[in-house]
Amino acid sequence: MKPKHSDLEILDTDPFANCKLDRKKDAMILNRIIGNFENGFTLAINGEWGTGKTTFIKMWQKQLEQNDYKTIYLNAWENDFVSEPLICILGELKNVTTSSNERLMKDIINKPSVFSKKIIPAVAKGLAKKHLGEEASDLIESVATATVDVFKKEVSEYEKKKKDLIDFKTKLQELVNKESKDKPLIFIIDELDRCRPDYAVEILEKIKHFFSVEGIVFVLSIDKNQLCSSIKGHYGSDEINAEEYLRRFIDIEYTLIEPDAEKFCNYLFVYFDFSSFMQNPERLKYSDLSHDKEMFLSTAIKLASAKRLTLRQTEKLFAYTRLALISCEKNSYLFADLFFLMIYIKAFKTSLYIDIRNLRLTVQELSDELNVVFAENIRLEQGNKYFQAFTSTLAKLLFFYNIEISNIGSYKDLINRSEGETQILTFNSGQIDVEKCARIILYYQDNMDTHDMKLSYLTNMIDLMKLY
């Protein structure tokens, strides 16, 4: 059994062969974008954390190389310990430079004024701050900077920096033309949104001012919302329009197509080998246990879709579920849909899970909580009498919770049988379909020995407390 999902193997012959998200379509779109622009530009590939951007980028990079593009990959997050982003960018460029262009690369690097920053009279300012305080040090700095000699020096340095920058970009353009010939050089920068805010902004600035030359396409793999937060953090203000700021640096933005939750859940079911438990011949002997796979996948897909779980979040839920199943006997009741629902609650609504496990709620309070937490799922099933699997799962939770609290003297009949043929709940189910909920509860009340199954049996497995 695998405890977690391993990195996908990216084949040289077919980079997207192992892709389970049909992301070759994204690559085809991006190939057209790159192929239709001759000049250099910056392309942002946007997707939330955990949506598989890095895996996609590496597959696409391999495909680009197959099509004779020269590519560079830089994980910005792994290199944000380097104080000057230019060093990382030029270092990666140097690594792909052929021996015939080494001299040209040295000419690019040997522009010291390109790397230097404005020099202030630090000694004078430091002495003033030590003896006279911060305000006086600022005054000393402004006076010193205003002297004629310093002014002339600044003008001279400005002119030299400007010339060196022009030379730098000219040499860079020449290098790109020689290295990449008739196709642009694709420079991929990944994990930019995970960097220190100051480092992320520095990279954007350097790309804009130093590397905006024909023949280089910068590809930024980002979570736009996170990067916007980094920009606000860097400038120390929530008032700054971070999206507008980003438009200064990004020419084209592409958002990855949202993955198909059903395909991904089915893939994870196979990857983590759930069949060896849920479709074990020992379980399939019993008709009540033979539908675990369908129940489990139905709930997982509905949650992943309605809650818009990232690939990473979905993967972790599957991995944890598979781990928890280790302690489940092969022929015991599981209620796979309820089992996965409880694991979701533990992962994303921990306080509610603790309240359920410790029996702190009344049935009415639990119903109210479920209406809030799963509002999207409930809404999707409203009005559809033939498609209410998730409603059935919520009803099971209410039923088994009610049985559990009987141990502390809080049990009450959830069905009002005095109404004859019509089943009326003795609690307010909110937006949860009353008829469906009542029918499920009545079925389990009349057909199941409640000693066979308790909610604590599931929570003990989920908490990894039930061992062989």
Coordinates of all heavy atoms in Angstrom, one line a residue, residues 398-439:
L398 N -26.8 11.4 10.7 CA -27.8 11.8 11.7 C -28.3 10.5 12.5 O -28.4 10.6 13.7 CB -28.9 12.6 11.1 CG -28.6 13.9 10.6 CD1 -29.6 14.5 9.6 CD2 -28.3 14.9 11.7
F399 N -28.6 9.5 11.7 CA -29.1 8.3 12.4 C -28.1 7.6 13.3 O -28.4 7.4 14.5 CB -29.5 7.3 11.3 CG -29.9 5.9 11.8 CD1 -31.1 5.7 12.5 CD2 -29.0 4.8 11.7 CE1 -31.4 4.4 13.0 CE2 -29.3 3.6 12.2 CZ -30.5 3.4 12.9
F400 N -26.9 7.4 12.8 CA -25.9 6.7 13.7 C -25.4 7.6 14.8 O -25.1 7.1 15.9 CB -24.7 6.3 12.8 CG -25.0 5.1 12.0 CD1 -25.1 5.2 10.6 CD2 -25.3 3.9 12.6 CE1 -25.4 4.1 9.8 CE2 -25.6 2.7 11.8 CZ -25.6 2.8 10.4
Y401 N -25.5 8.9 14.6 CA -25.1 9.8 15.7 C -26.2 9.7 16.8 O -25.9 9.7 18.0 CB -25.0 11.2 15.3 CG -24.6 12.2 16.3 CD1 -23.3 12.3 16.8 CD2 -25.5 13.0 17.0 CE1 -22.9 13.2 17.8 CE2 -25.2 13.9 18.0 CZ -23.9 14.0 18.4 OH -23.5 14.8 19.4
N402 N -27.4 9.6 16.4 CA -28.5 9.5 17.4 C -28.4 8.2 18.2 O -28.7 8.2 19.4 CB -29.9 9.6 16.6 CG -31.1 9.7 17.6 OD1 -31.1 10.5 18.5 ND2 -32.0 8.8 17.4
I403 N -28.0 7.1 17.5 CA -27.8 5.9 18.2 C -26.7 6.0 19.2 O -26.8 5.5 20.4 CB -27.5 4.7 17.2 CG1 -28.6 4.5 16.3 CG2 -27.1 3.5 18.0 CD1 -29.9 4.0 17.0
E404 N -25.6 6.7 18.8 CA -24.4 6.9 19.7 C -24.8 7.7 21.0 O -24.3 7.3 22.1 CB -23.3 7.6 18.9 CG -21.9 7.4 19.4 CD -21.4 6.0 19.2 OE1 -21.7 5.4 18.1 OE2 -20.7 5.5 20.0
I405 N -25.6 8.7 20.8 CA -25.9 9.5 22.0 C -26.9 8.8 22.9 O -27.1 9.4 24.1 CB -26.4 11.0 21.6 CG1 -27.7 10.9 20.8 CG2 -25.3 11.7 20.9 CD1 -28.2 12.3 20.5
S406 N -27.4 7.7 22.5 CA -28.3 7.0 23.4 C -27.5 6.5 24.6 O -28.1 6.3 25.7 CB -28.9 5.8 22.7 OG -28.0 4.8 22.3
N407 N -26.2 6.3 24.4 CA -25.3 5.9 25.6 C -25.2 6.9 26.7 O -24.9 6.5 27.8 CB -23.9 5.5 25.0 CG -23.9 4.4 24.0 OD1 -24.7 3.5 24.2 ND2 -23.0 4.5 23.1
I408 N -25.5 8.1 26.3 CA -25.5 9.2 27.4 C -26.9 9.7 27.7 O -27.1 10.8 28.2 CB -24.6 10.3 26.9 CG1 -25.0 11.0 25.6 CG2 -23.1 9.9 26.8 CD1 -24.3 12.2 25.2
G409 N -27.9 8.9 27.3 CA -29.3 9.2 27.7 C -29.9 10.3 26.8 O -30.9 10.8 27.3
S410 N -29.4 10.5 25.7 CA -29.9 11.6 24.8 C -30.7 11.1 23.6 O -31.1 11.9 22.7 CB -28.8 12.5 24.4 OG -28.1 13.1 25.5
Y411 N -30.9 9.8 23.6 CA -31.6 9.2 22.4 C -33.0 9.7 22.3 O -33.7 9.8 23.3 CB -31.5 7.7 22.4 CG -32.3 7.1 21.3 CD1 -31.8 6.9 20.1 CD2 -33.6 6.6 21.5 CE1 -32.5 6.3 19.0 CE2 -34.4 6.0 20.5 CZ -33.8 5.9 19.3 OH -34.5 5.3 18.3
K412 N -33.5 9.9 21.1 CA -34.9 10.2 20.9 C -35.3 9.6 19.5 O -34.4 9.5 18.6 CB -35.3 11.6 20.9 CG -34.8 12.5 19.8 CD -35.4 13.9 19.9 CE -35.0 14.7 18.7 NZ -35.6 16.1 18.7
D413 N -36.5 9.2 19.3 CA -36.9 8.7 18.0 C -36.9 9.8 17.0 O -37.5 10.9 17.2 CB -38.4 8.1 18.1 CG -38.7 7.2 16.9 OD1 -38.0 7.3 15.9 OD2 -39.6 6.3 17.1
L414 N -36.3 9.6 15.9 CA -36.2 10.7 14.8 C -37.3 10.7 13.9 O -37.5 11.6 13.1 CB -34.9 10.5 14.0 CG -33.6 10.5 14.8 CD1 -32.4 10.4 13.9 CD2 -33.4 11.8 15.7
I415 N -38.2 9.7 14.0 CA -39.4 9.6 13.1 C -40.6 9.7 14.0 O -40.8 9.0 15.0 CB -39.4 8.3 12.3 CG1 -38.1 8.2 11.5 CG2 -40.6 8.2 11.4 CD1 -38.0 9.2 10.4
N416 N -41.6 10.6 13.6 CA -42.8 10.6 14.3 C -43.8 9.7 13.6 O -44.4 10.0 12.6 CB -43.4 12.1 14.2 CG -44.6 12.3 15.0 OD1 -45.3 11.3 15.4 ND2 -45.0 13.5 15.3
R417 N -44.0 8.5 14.2 CA -44.8 7.5 13.6 C -46.3 7.7 13.7 O -47.1 7.0 13.1 CB -44.4 6.1 14.2 CG -42.9 5.7 13.9 CD -42.6 4.4 14.6 NE -41.2 4.1 14.4 CZ -40.7 3.3 13.4 NH1 -41.6 2.8 12.5 NH2 -39.4 3.1 13.3
S418 N -46.7 8.7 14.5 CA -48.1 8.9 14.8 C -48.8 9.5 13.6 O -50.0 9.6 13.5 CB -48.3 9.8 16.0 OG -47.7 11.1 15.7
E419 N -48.1 9.9 12.5 CA -48.6 10.5 11.4 C -49.1 9.5 10.3 O -49.3 9.9 9.2 CB -47.6 11.5 10.8 CG -47.3 12.6 11.7 CD -48.4 13.5 12.0 OE1 -49.3 13.7 11.1 OE2 -48.5 14.0 13.1
G420 N -49.1 8.2 10.6 CA -49.5 7.2 9.7 C -48.5 6.9 8.6 O -47.3 6.7 8.9
E421 N -48.9 7.0 7.3 CA -48.0 6.6 6.2 C -47.0 7.7 6.0 O -45.9 7.4 5.5 CB -48.9 6.5 4.9 CG -49.8 5.3 4.9 CD -49.0 4.0 5.0 OE1 -48.0 3.9 4.4 OE2 -49.5 3.1 5.8
T422 N -47.2 8.9 6.4 CA -46.3 10.0 6.1 C -45.2 10.0 7.2 O -45.6 10.1 8.4 CB -47.0 11.4 6.1 OG1 -48.0 11.3 5.1 CG2 -46.0 12.5 5.8
Q423 N -44.0 10.0 6.8 CA -42.9 10.0 7.8 C -42.5 11.4 8.1 O -42.1 12.2 7.2 CB -41.7 9.2 7.3 CG -41.8 7.7 7.4 CD -42.6 7.1 6.3 OE1 -42.3 7.4 5.1 NE2 -43.5 6.3 6.6
I424 N -42.7 11.8 9.3 CA -42.3 13.2 9.7 C -41.1 13.2 10.7 O -41.1 12.4 11.7 CB -43.5 13.9 10.4 CG1 -44.8 13.9 9.5 CG2 -43.2 15.3 10.8 CD1 -44.6 14.7 8.2
L425 N -40.2 14.0 10.4 CA -39.0 14.0 11.3 C -39.3 14.7 12.6 O -40.1 15.7 12.6 CB -37.8 14.7 10.6 CG -37.3 14.0 9.3 CD1 -36.3 14.9 8.7 CD2 -36.6 12.7 9.7
T426 N -38.7 14.3 13.7 CA -38.9 15.0 15.0 C -37.9 16.1 15.2 O -37.8 16.7 16.2 CB -38.8 14.0 16.1 OG1 -37.5 13.4 16.1 CG2 -39.9 12.9 16.0
F427 N -37.1 16.4 14.1 CA -36.2 17.5 14.2 C -36.3 18.3 12.9 O -36.8 17.8 11.9 CB -34.7 17.1 14.4 CG -34.2 16.2 13.3 CD1 -33.4 16.8 12.4 CD2 -34.5 14.9 13.2 CE1 -32.9 16.0 11.3 CE2 -34.0 14.1 12.2 CZ -33.2 14.7 11.3
N428 N -35.8 19.5 12.8 CA -35.8 20.3 11.6 C -34.6 20.0 10.8 O -33.5 20.2 11.2 CB -35.8 21.8 12.0 CG -35.9 22.7 10.8 OD1 -35.9 22.2 9.6 ND2 -35.9 24.0 11.0
S429 N -34.8 19.4 9.6 CA -33.7 19.0 8.7 C -33.2 20.2 7.9 O -32.2 20.0 7.1 CB -34.1 17.8 7.8 OG -35.1 18.2 6.9
G430 N -33.8 21.3 8.0 CA -33.3 22.5 7.2 C -33.5 22.3 5.7 O -34.6 21.9 5.3
Q431 N -32.4 22.4 4.9 CA -32.5 22.3 3.5 C -32.3 20.8 3.0 O -32.5 20.5 1.9 CB -31.4 23.1 2.8 CG -31.6 24.6 3.0 CD -33.0 25.1 2.5 OE1 -33.3 24.9 1.4 NE2 -33.7 25.8 3.4
I432 N -32.0 19.9 4.0 CA -31.9 18.5 3.7 C -33.3 18.0 3.4 O -34.2 18.2 4.2 CB -31.2 17.7 4.8 CG1 -29.8 18.3 5.1 CG2 -31.1 16.2 4.5 CD1 -29.2 17.7 6.4
D433 N -33.4 17.3 2.3 CA -34.7 16.8 1.8 C -35.4 15.9 2.9 O -34.9 14.9 3.4 CB -34.6 15.9 0.6 CG -35.9 15.5 0.0 OD1 -36.4 14.5 0.5 OD2 -36.4 16.2 -0.9
V434 N -36.5 16.4 3.4 CA -37.2 15.7 4.5 C -37.6 14.3 4.2 O -37.4 13.4 5.0 CB -38.5 16.5 5.0 CG1 -39.2 15.8 6.1 CG2 -38.1 17.9 5.4
E435 N -38.3 14.1 3.0 CA -38.8 12.8 2.7 C -37.7 11.8 2.5 O -37.7 10.7 3.1 CB -39.6 12.9 1.4 CG -40.2 11.6 0.9 CD -40.9 11.7 -0.4 OE1 -41.3 12.9 -0.8 OE2 -41.2 10.7 -1.0
K436 N -36.6 12.2 1.8 CA -35.5 11.3 1.7 C -34.8 10.9 3.0 O -34.5 9.8 3.3 CB -34.4 11.9 0.7 CG -33.2 11.1 0.5 CD -33.4 9.9 -0.4 CE -32.1 9.2 -0.8 NZ -32.3 8.0 -1.6
C437 N -34.6 12.0 3.8 CA -33.9 11.8 5.1 C -34.7 10.8 6.0 O -34.2 9.9 6.6 CB -33.8 13.1 5.8 SG -32.7 13.1 7.2
A438 N -36.0 11.1 6.0 CA -36.9 10.2 6.8 C -36.9 8.8 6.3 O -36.9 7.8 7.1 CB -38.3 10.8 6.8
R439 N -36.9 8.6 5.0 CA -37.0 7.2 4.5 C -35.7 6.5 4.8 O -35.7 5.3 5.1 CB -37.1 7.3 2.9 CG -37.4 6.0 2.3 CD -38.0 6.2 0.9 NE -37.2 6.9 0.0 CZ -37.4 8.1 -0.5 NH1 -38.5 8.7 -0.2 NH2 -36.5 8.6 -1.4

